Amino acid sequence: MVPSPTRRRLLAASGAVAGALGSSRLLTSARSTATGRSSSSTRSPPATRSFLSDSAPGGAWPMAQHDPAGRNHAPSATPPKDGAAVRWKREIDIDRGFGYAPTPIVAEGRVYAAGRELLVLDAETGAVEFRVARRSRTPPAVASARAYRSPTLAVTSSRGVTGLHANGGLRILGSHLGVTRWKGGDSDRQTAFFGAEPQTSPPVVAGGTILVAATDELRAIDASSGKTRWRKDVDTRRPAVHRGTVYAAEYPGGVRGYDLETGEDRFDAEVDVAPPLSVTAGPDQLVVATDDGLAGLSYDGETRWEFAPEEFSRDYGAVALAEGVAYAGFRGEDDSYLVAVDAADGSERWRSETAPEETPQFAPPSVADGVVYVPTEDGGMAAVDAGDGHLRWQFGKDADTHGPWSPAALVGETLYAIGDGHVYALEEP
């Protein structure tokens, strides 16, 4: 039973309401007492803003493909390696449309899952913390915002970008106020894949900047205000950031690079072997997905190697890069494969028939602790050994599927993914 509010509490609540922005929206809190936290508590990040780091307490997967470089690699995570058991699962309403589900995002002990609404869960227990009535088919991203003590959650759609209070805003008598911080970067430009509804690329966060790619446009947005810092007319997908430069694959031209803060042109290189489709930033080179396969491009603009066997073909789809090896999906004449390519010289290390889902493009693998986690084309999540490509385990293959599983988010000892109409937290049995 909820106690009746005192006059002092009501006055305090009224003052908070009066001070909130008129554009703020209310949503219902669903915080469970199972979390062990008071419903009036608000967590704030450490002063160092380490809550977005993989090395932060509990770890993080704060955006699609894990980090600004887009490597899909969590170096300090130790997810389930020899099998998978359900720690918790929570139902989510997702579109059963074209393609795999969006990757859940994990930061500050919360899981952000996009579907027909934005569902925010406690990462440890799966208890619902709050919901936002905002439909999205791309993962959000968590960004440091200098004007706030708590991070901003960037959510993209065909209407543009919205910055939300990542902690749910001010909680008053069971409701949340001040969830929406800003709306910015509006654009009619959308990324569309053949045969699919138009989509936007997932946002990329680098410091206090949010990068959003749409058809013919790359935009840098301030995470605190939502104002556009700079924009470029470039036809690209998700960019990659390395040492203050934003790299974007422009089809059918080359790879372009822009200063993260100013948008000034910094890099312009052609890929000698084939037109580029996407780019991942490694420690000493870019790994570029092309029409034919993969290529290594130095930060001086030199094409170092190419991997393009005649029996394989590729389309759009992200690449995972971990400990000197690139992992990507390839189509063969009859079957598809997950292929491990040595990033030093472009030689093949192994291929596995446990292929990633390829609709509308190859789903990105996720890598941690010597294991490659793949949302497979025949359903469920699979764990493939990074050393030789053998299948370690597969989960959810025989479930009543609601569509392909999402790519995995790997945080601490847990794998988070959306599949079979649920958000799952999987751990070692």
Side-chain angles (χ1 to χ4, degrees):
M1 180 176 180
V2 179
S4 59
T6 64
R7 180 175 181 272
R8 180 178 298 174
R9 289 173 61 193
L10 286 173
L11 287 173
S14 298
V17 171
L21 294 174
S23 62
S24 298
R25 59 190 299 184
L26 288 169
L27 74 166
T28 302
S29 173
R31 180 182 289 273
S32 169
T33 56
T35 64
R37 304 187 192 97
S38 167
S39 62
S40 61
S41 64
T42 301
R43 288 176 287 184
S44 57
T48 59
R49 304 284 179 158
S50 62
F51 54 86
L52 301 185
S53 170
D54 184 54
S55 60
W61 193 285
M63 68 193 81
Q65 297 178 224
H66 181 266
D67 50 60
R71 298 176 190 172
N72 285 292
H73 177 215
S76 64
T78 55
K81 198 168 188 175
D82 297 315
V86 178
R87 183 201 300 167
W88 56 257
K89 67 178 182 178
R90 176 70 60 178
E91 189 173 3
I92 183 173
D93 190 8
I94 59 173
D95 292 311
R96 298 193 186 188
F98 197 74
Y100 49 82
T103 310
I105 299 307
V106 186
E108 278 207 299
R110 292 184 174 92
V111 179
Y112 302 88
R116 295 187 178 179
E117 64 177 355
L118 178 65
L119 183 63
V120 183
L121 308 172
D122 183 283
E124 183 64 29
T125 67
V128 178
E129 296 210 351
F130 60 93
R131 306 169 187 263
V132 180
R134 186 174 182 88
R135 184 173 186 167
S136 179
R137 297 186 63 188
T138 59
V142 181
S144 298
R146 67 186 183 282
Y148 300 95
R149 295 182 63 207
S150 58
T152 289
L153 185 71
V155 182
T156 59
S157 71
S158 59
R159 300 186 300 275
V161 188
T162 300
L164 305 179
H165 193 308
N167 295 354
L170 183 64
R171 300 183 186 95
I172 300 176
L173 305 179
S175 294
H176 290 239
L177 188 66
V179 178
T180 300
R181 286 179 169 170
W182 48 259
K183 294 182 180 180
D186 290 341
S187 174
D188 342 358
R189 306 183 184 187
Q190 306 169 40
T191 299
F193 300 105
F194 180 75
E197 295 178 14
Q199 300 183 21
T200 52
S201 293
V204 176
V205 169
T209 301
I210 299 166
L211 300 162
V212 179
T215 301
D216 299 331
E217 178 182 86
L218 175 63
R219 191 182 292 257
I221 298 169
D222 185 89
S224 290
S225 66
K227 293 181 179 178
T228 297
R229 290 181 172 175
W230 53 263
R231 60 174 297 275
K232 293 289 182 179
D233 291 324
V234 55
D235 186 5
T236 189
R237 300 299 187 266
R238 183 203 191 275
V241 184
H242 179 71
R243 295 185 178 178
T245 299
V246 182
Y247 295 94
E250 183 181 24
Y251 185 90
V255 177
R256 315 298 178 218
Y258 311 102
D259 185 275
L260 175 63
E261 295 299 322
T262 66
E264 179 183 356
D265 292 354
R266 275 192 173 182
F267 184 88
D268 189 349
E270 304 299 317
V271 182
D272 295 340
V273 292
L277 299 177
S278 66
V279 62
T280 301
D284 58 356
Q285 67 178 334
L286 299 168
V287 175
V288 182
T290 72
D291 262 345
D292 295 333
L294 302 180
L297 185 67
S298 75
Y299 286 112
D300 293 328
E302 176 189 357
T303 301
R304 291 178 171 176
W305 53 262
E306 178 191 17
F307 176 78
E310 291 184 1
E311 69 270 26
F312 282 158
S313 65
R314 260 189 70 80
D315 203 335
Y316 288 102
V319 176
L321 183 61
E323 299 179 353
V325 182
Y327 303 92
F330 283 83
R331 293 186 186 92
E333 185 175 345
D334 299 315
D335 299 300
S336 294
Y337 299 89
L338 173 68
V339 182
V341 178
D342 193 308
D345 58 12
S347 60
E348 181 178 331
R349 288 197 174 185
W350 51 257
R351 65 182 69 180
S352 168
E353 293 182 357
T354 306
E357 169 61 35
E358 57 182 276
T359 304
Q361 57 186 333
F362 278 112
S366 304
V367 187
D369 195 26
V371 180
V372 185
Y373 299 90
V374 184
T376 63
E377 60 182 349
D378 57 354
M381 181 67 64
V384 175
D385 191 275
D388 59 14
H390 79 267
L391 179 65
R392 299 185 70 97
W393 56 259
Q394 190 162 7
F395 178 89
K397 180 177 179 179
D398 300 323
D400 179 18
T401 182
H402 287 58
W405 278 53
S406 75
L410 310 174
V411 179
E413 298 179 351
T414 309
L415 181 156
Y416 299 93
I418 297 176
D420 189 30
H422 291 80
V423 183
Y424 278 91
L426 301 180
E427 61 186 3
E428 195 79 25

